[in-house]
Amino acid sequence: MATHADHSPSPARPRDRDPEPDRDQHQDRERDRDRPSGPEGREVPGRSEARESREAPEGSRSTSDPGTPKDTTDAVPLARTRTGAGLLAGGLLTGVIVLALVSAAYGAYDIPVTDVIASVQHRAGLGGHALDRVGESVLWNVRLPRVVLALLVGASLGCAGALMQGVFGNPLAEPGIIGISSGAAVGAVASIALGLSFLGNWTITACAFVAGLVTVLLVYAMSRSGGRTEVVTLILTGIAVNAFAGALIGLFIFFADNAQITQITFWQLGSLSQATWPKVLAVLPCALLGLAIAPLYARKLDLLALGERPARHLGIDVERLRIVLVLVVALFTAAAVAVAGIITFVGLLVPHLLRMAHGPGHRFLVPGSALGGALMLVAGDLAARTVAEPAELPLGVLTALFGSPFFFWLLLRTRRRQGGWA
């Protein structure tokens, strides 16, 4: 007969008494099976580990924390960019100084470079010594005005090209695209063909400068519609004005005599052979004013490169920016054409080379193009004076000979990258 003790519950077995460890082990196995592993069986940190790393204090993070190398790698390219820009700018400036000294020294009458430096030091009151009478006259009345004028004209055209490409968002733009050069040429050719002399030797220069400014204002006024100016309309209007200006130049040449035709032809080809200190002083205010204003708009040009609508959303007054920079370009180009004639491809070639060497950022591109333009024009003028001695080649012909193949190569390169234009 069963007793009461037989029906009493038996002592609990260990498994029945504490089932939690088994459940925890099961969950651990499930978690280990679901957890992703690395290529060699290494476990990838889970969410809890990531949460712990986020919640850990900044000072407790080790140097292997992903945040630290990321900040460092972000700073390294910026430092390299600034270093590259500084080195490139230093190289351009050194090249300008060296070429300016060489250009002042060599020509039909050679002067040693050391004598050039000594004469400049003597005039500046820094020691040195004066040259003989012929050397002083050649250096200070012929060579140095020409070198300084080449520096100013080259800097103006190079900087104007960088501004034009930034304003139009087109790497093929250059200062003559909106009719500034051709308008200035009409003023100069008209003054020569009509025999105007109301300002003496300054008549041609003044007519070219005024005509260039009037032309760009006319193009801009004709391109405006509804208070806005579209880039395509501005370019097409400039092309039409260039064609009309070419017709006017041909008409003036038809009525000019042989002496006037020779003067017009040589002026159209571009030359610095008539450089004098008064012409340097005429270009100097325009060049310095433009070179002081242009770098102030570098950041806005970078934002404009994103597109007109994004630039407006970022607070840029696109219309006002375009007006100001077109006027600066007109100031640069009209002054340069007025004293040196039509010199092409400087404004197209120099910004492209610098953009390929350093990148599209305008903080370096705008002042760098001024240095590059000065370097290119001093080198071109030296070649024009020395390649065919005792004759002198037109400077505009040399720049076109080197610029045209580059322009053609640029077109082919752009077409290949875009997969054709059809």
Side-chain angles (χ1 to χ4, degrees), residues 103-104 106-107 143 146 380-389 391-392:
S103 182
Y106 294 102
R143 296 276 174 79
R146 185 161 183 163
D381 184 60
L382 177 62
R385 290 190 291 108
T386 57
V387 166
E389 284 184 341
E392 181 177 325

Side-chain angles (χ1 to χ4, degrees), residues 26 36 118 120 142 172 210 222 249 271 283 285-286 296 314 363 390 398:
H26 178 72
V120 172
V142 179
L172 303 181
V210 173
M222 293 172 62
I249 291 173
S271 176
V283 179
C286 299
L296 302 178
L314 293 172
R363 287 188 177 182
L398 286 180

